[in-house]
Amino acid sequence: MKKNNIIASFKSKYFRIGGYSTVVSAAVLIIIIVINLFVGAIPPSYTKIDTSSNELYTISDETKNFVSVISEDVNIYFIAESGAEDTTIDELLGRYVSLNNRITVQKVSPATNPNFTAKYTDQPLSPSSLIFESARRSYVVDNSEIYVTEYSQEELINYYTTGAMPRGTTSFAGESSITGALDYVTSDSIPTAYMLGGHGESPFGEKISGYISDDNIIV
């Protein structure tokens, strides 16, 4: 192609249209990137609607009021292998963080930090468990306390008589577990209840003991 023909091609209508399309495409791409960066910086509580059937990510107004006035730093350690975190817990933690910037979440892999949990508990933790730490004290929430399985009396009787493993009913107690742990590590003092014995008293059942523990009362 001759030089004059090459120059003419750059001045042609089709080249001008093509160049304009390229500029528009680049501008749209930049706008999309900026929007994604802006949306990514907005807390998840404002951008993600809770579409789960049981509203697993929804936080009650009572919890929101409590969390919003926490005035000290709280570190939450999410104990899970990288890439294998429980997404429901991860999403819920993000909503707590969005309520108060004094709360931070750090993911800790037991594979790369095998001795990390030993500073807080001498018991093995289930995957996707949580450790809460403030300047006052720490608190461990095992995954089994977040996903609570209850068994009916019929299932238990069947288990003891036939050995058949009960299926139970599992519920998500994420909000109560996380809020209770935050309350424990930020409270000025923790009340203690003493259980009397030696007079034929029946011990508290597991459910009642759980209620007392959830209210951050040491027995």
Side-chain angles (χ1 to χ4, degrees), residues 196-207:
L196 301 178
H199 300 85
E201 299 90 349
S202 298
F204 285 154
E206 183 177 345
K207 181 172 289 188

mmCIF file with all atom_site columns, all heavy atoms in Angstrom, residues 196-207:
data_model
loop_
_atom_site.group_PDB
_atom_site.id
_atom_site.type_symbol
_atom_site.label_atom_id
_atom_site.label_alt_id
_atom_site.label_comp_id
_atom_site.label_asym_id
_atom_site.label_entity_id
_atom_site.label_seq_id
_atom_site.pdbx_PDB_ins_code
_atom_site.Cartn_x
_atom_site.Cartn_y
_atom_site.Cartn_z
_atom_site.occupancy
_atom_site.B_iso_or_equiv
_atom_site.pdbx_formal_charge
_atom_site.auth_seq_id
_atom_site.auth_comp_id
_atom_site.auth_asym_id
_atom_site.auth_atom_id
_atom_site.pdbx_PDB_model_num
ATOM 1  N N   . LEU A 1 196 ? -24.818 -24.680 94.697  1.00 0.00 ? 196 LEU A N   1
ATOM 2  C CA  . LEU A 1 196 ? -24.735 -25.407 95.957  1.00 0.00 ? 196 LEU A CA  1
ATOM 3  C C   . LEU A 1 196 ? -24.902 -26.907 95.717  1.00 0.00 ? 196 LEU A C   1
ATOM 4  O O   . LEU A 1 196 ? -25.598 -27.333 94.801  1.00 0.00 ? 196 LEU A O   1
ATOM 5  C CB  . LEU A 1 196 ? -25.808 -24.911 96.922  1.00 0.00 ? 196 LEU A CB  1
ATOM 6  C CG  . LEU A 1 196 ? -25.748 -23.419 97.281  1.00 0.00 ? 196 LEU A CG  1
ATOM 7  C CD1 . LEU A 1 196 ? -26.900 -23.058 98.219  1.00 0.00 ? 196 LEU A CD1 1
ATOM 8  C CD2 . LEU A 1 196 ? -24.415 -23.075 97.914  1.00 0.00 ? 196 LEU A CD2 1
ATOM 9  N N   . GLY A 1 197 ? -24.283 -27.686 96.562  1.00 0.00 ? 197 GLY A N   1
ATOM 10 C CA  . GLY A 1 197 ? -24.388 -29.137 96.436  1.00 0.00 ? 197 GLY A CA  1
ATOM 11 C C   . GLY A 1 197 ? -24.323 -29.804 97.795  1.00 0.00 ? 197 GLY A C   1
ATOM 12 O O   . GLY A 1 197 ? -24.141 -29.159 98.826  1.00 0.00 ? 197 GLY A O   1
ATOM 13 N N   . GLY A 1 198 ? -24.464 -31.130 97.790  1.00 0.00 ? 198 GLY A N   1
ATOM 14 C CA  . GLY A 1 198 ? -24.362 -31.884 99.031  1.00 0.00 ? 198 GLY A CA  1
ATOM 15 C C   . GLY A 1 198 ? -25.675 -32.096 99.750  1.00 0.00 ? 198 GLY A C   1
ATOM 16 O O   . GLY A 1 198 ? -25.703 -32.657 100.847 1.00 0.00 ? 198 GLY A O   1
ATOM 17 N N   . HIS A 1 199 ? -26.788 -31.667 99.148  1.00 0.00 ? 199 HIS A N   1
ATOM 18 C CA  . HIS A 1 199 ? -28.087 -31.832 99.799  1.00 0.00 ? 199 HIS A CA  1
ATOM 19 C C   . HIS A 1 199 ? -29.074 -32.527 98.860  1.00 0.00 ? 199 HIS A C   1
ATOM 20 O O   . HIS A 1 199 ? -30.284 -32.354 98.987  1.00 0.00 ? 199 HIS A O   1
ATOM 21 C CB  . HIS A 1 199 ? -28.648 -30.476 100.242 1.00 0.00 ? 199 HIS A CB  1
ATOM 22 C CG  . HIS A 1 199 ? -27.787 -29.751 101.215 1.00 0.00 ? 199 HIS A CG  1
ATOM 23 N ND1 . HIS A 1 199 ? -26.733 -28.957 100.824 1.00 0.00 ? 199 HIS A ND1 1
ATOM 24 C CD2 . HIS A 1 199 ? -27.805 -29.723 102.577 1.00 0.00 ? 199 HIS A CD2 1
ATOM 25 C CE1 . HIS A 1 199 ? -26.138 -28.455 101.893 1.00 0.00 ? 199 HIS A CE1 1
ATOM 26 N NE2 . HIS A 1 199 ? -26.762 -28.906 102.977 1.00 0.00 ? 199 HIS A NE2 1
ATOM 27 N N   . GLY A 1 200 ? -28.542 -33.306 97.947  1.00 0.00 ? 200 GLY A N   1
ATOM 28 C CA  . GLY A 1 200 ? -29.404 -34.062 97.045  1.00 0.00 ? 200 GLY A CA  1
ATOM 29 C C   . GLY A 1 200 ? -29.947 -33.265 95.887  1.00 0.00 ? 200 GLY A C   1
ATOM 30 O O   . GLY A 1 200 ? -30.879 -33.697 95.196  1.00 0.00 ? 200 GLY A O   1
ATOM 31 N N   . GLU A 1 201 ? -29.363 -32.085 95.647  1.00 0.00 ? 201 GLU A N   1
ATOM 32 C CA  . GLU A 1 201 ? -29.846 -31.256 94.530  1.00 0.00 ? 201 GLU A CA  1
ATOM 33 C C   . GLU A 1 201 ? -29.507 -31.918 93.192  1.00 0.00 ? 201 GLU A C   1
ATOM 34 O O   . GLU A 1 201 ? -28.452 -32.514 93.032  1.00 0.00 ? 201 GLU A O   1
ATOM 35 C CB  . GLU A 1 201 ? -29.220 -29.862 94.564  1.00 0.00 ? 201 GLU A CB  1
ATOM 36 C CG  . GLU A 1 201 ? -29.526 -29.059 95.811  1.00 0.00 ? 201 GLU A CG  1
ATOM 37 C CD  . GLU A 1 201 ? -28.492 -29.300 96.893  1.00 0.00 ? 201 GLU A CD  1
ATOM 38 O OE1 . GLU A 1 201 ? -27.685 -30.235 96.736  1.00 0.00 ? 201 GLU A OE1 1
ATOM 39 O OE2 . GLU A 1 201 ? -28.518 -28.570 97.893  1.00 0.00 ? 201 GLU A OE2 1
ATOM 40 N N   . SER A 1 202 ? -30.422 -31.778 92.254  1.00 0.00 ? 202 SER A N   1
ATOM 41 C CA  . SER A 1 202 ? -30.146 -32.271 90.902  1.00 0.00 ? 202 SER A CA  1
ATOM 42 C C   . SER A 1 202 ? -29.293 -31.242 90.174  1.00 0.00 ? 202 SER A C   1
ATOM 43 O O   . SER A 1 202 ? -29.542 -30.035 90.289  1.00 0.00 ? 202 SER A O   1
ATOM 44 C CB  . SER A 1 202 ? -31.451 -32.486 90.128  1.00 0.00 ? 202 SER A CB  1
ATOM 45 O OG  . SER A 1 202 ? -32.253 -33.466 90.760  1.00 0.00 ? 202 SER A OG  1
ATOM 46 N N   . PRO A 1 203 ? -28.292 -31.697 89.432  1.00 0.00 ? 203 PRO A N   1
ATOM 47 C CA  . PRO A 1 203 ? -27.452 -30.740 88.694  1.00 0.00 ? 203 PRO A CA  1
ATOM 48 C C   . PRO A 1 203 ? -28.237 -30.087 87.566  1.00 0.00 ? 203 PRO A C   1
ATOM 49 O O   . PRO A 1 203 ? -29.233 -30.633 87.083  1.00 0.00 ? 203 PRO A O   1
ATOM 50 C CB  . PRO A 1 203 ? -26.322 -31.619 88.142  1.00 0.00 ? 203 PRO A CB  1
ATOM 51 C CG  . PRO A 1 203 ? -26.931 -32.989 88.047  1.00 0.00 ? 203 PRO A CG  1
ATOM 52 C CD  . PRO A 1 203 ? -27.884 -33.091 89.202  1.00 0.00 ? 203 PRO A CD  1
ATOM 53 N N   . PHE A 1 204 ? -27.797 -28.903 87.165  1.00 0.00 ? 204 PHE A N   1
ATOM 54 C CA  . PHE A 1 204 ? -28.434 -28.231 86.042  1.00 0.00 ? 204 PHE A CA  1
ATOM 55 C C   . PHE A 1 204 ? -28.282 -29.085 84.787  1.00 0.00 ? 204 PHE A C   1
ATOM 56 O O   . PHE A 1 204 ? -27.236 -29.699 84.559  1.00 0.00 ? 204 PHE A O   1
ATOM 57 C CB  . PHE A 1 204 ? -27.794 -26.868 85.787  1.00 0.00 ? 204 PHE A CB  1
ATOM 58 C CG  . PHE A 1 204 ? -28.189 -25.816 86.791  1.00 0.00 ? 204 PHE A CG  1
ATOM 59 C CD1 . PHE A 1 204 ? -27.360 -24.742 87.041  1.00 0.00 ? 204 PHE A CD1 1
ATOM 60 C CD2 . PHE A 1 204 ? -29.393 -25.897 87.462  1.00 0.00 ? 204 PHE A CD2 1
ATOM 61 C CE1 . PHE A 1 204 ? -27.718 -23.756 87.947  1.00 0.00 ? 204 PHE A CE1 1
ATOM 62 C CE2 . PHE A 1 204 ? -29.771 -24.919 88.377  1.00 0.00 ? 204 PHE A CE2 1
ATOM 63 C CZ  . PHE A 1 204 ? -28.925 -23.861 88.625  1.00 0.00 ? 204 PHE A CZ  1
ATOM 64 N N   . GLY A 1 205 ? -29.331 -29.087 83.978  1.00 0.00 ? 205 GLY A N   1
ATOM 65 C CA  . GLY A 1 205 ? -29.248 -29.776 82.702  1.00 0.00 ? 205 GLY A CA  1
ATOM 66 C C   . GLY A 1 205 ? -28.378 -28.998 81.729  1.00 0.00 ? 205 GLY A C   1
ATOM 67 O O   . GLY A 1 205 ? -28.030 -27.832 81.961  1.00 0.00 ? 205 GLY A O   1
ATOM 68 N N   . GLU A 1 206 ? -28.011 -29.640 80.630  1.00 0.00 ? 206 GLU A N   1
ATOM 69 C CA  . GLU A 1 206 ? -27.128 -29.013 79.650  1.00 0.00 ? 206 GLU A CA  1
ATOM 70 C C   . GLU A 1 206 ? -27.748 -27.758 79.057  1.00 0.00 ? 206 GLU A C   1
ATOM 71 O O   . GLU A 1 206 ? -27.063 -26.763 78.831  1.00 0.00 ? 206 GLU A O   1
ATOM 72 C CB  . GLU A 1 206 ? -26.806 -30.018 78.538  1.00 0.00 ? 206 GLU A CB  1
ATOM 73 C CG  . GLU A 1 206 ? -25.835 -29.493 77.492  1.00 0.00 ? 206 GLU A CG  1
ATOM 74 C CD  . GLU A 1 206 ? -25.484 -30.540 76.439  1.00 0.00 ? 206 GLU A CD  1
ATOM 75 O OE1 . GLU A 1 206 ? -25.766 -31.732 76.666  1.00 0.00 ? 206 GLU A OE1 1
ATOM 76 O OE2 . GLU A 1 206 ? -24.952 -30.148 75.394  1.00 0.00 ? 206 GLU A OE2 1
ATOM 77 N N   . LYS A 1 207 ? -29.072 -27.776 78.827  1.00 0.00 ? 207 LYS A N   1
ATOM 78 C CA  . LYS A 1 207 ? -29.729 -26.618 78.218  1.00 0.00 ? 207 LYS A CA  1
ATOM 79 C C   . LYS A 1 207 ? -29.704 -25.418 79.156  1.00 0.00 ? 207 LYS A C   1
ATOM 80 O O   . LYS A 1 207 ? -29.392 -24.289 78.748  1.00 0.00 ? 207 LYS A O   1
ATOM 81 C CB  . LYS A 1 207 ? -31.162 -26.973 77.840  1.00 0.00 ? 207 LYS A CB  1
ATOM 82 C CG  . LYS A 1 207 ? -31.918 -25.831 77.166  1.00 0.00 ? 207 LYS A CG  1
ATOM 83 C CD  . LYS A 1 207 ? -33.263 -26.282 76.636  1.00 0.00 ? 207 LYS A CD  1
ATOM 84 C CE  . LYS A 1 207 ? -33.108 -27.189 75.442  1.00 0.00 ? 207 LYS A CE  1
ATOM 85 N NZ  . LYS A 1 207 ? -34.422 -27.491 74.800  1.00 0.00 ? 207 LYS A NZ  1
#
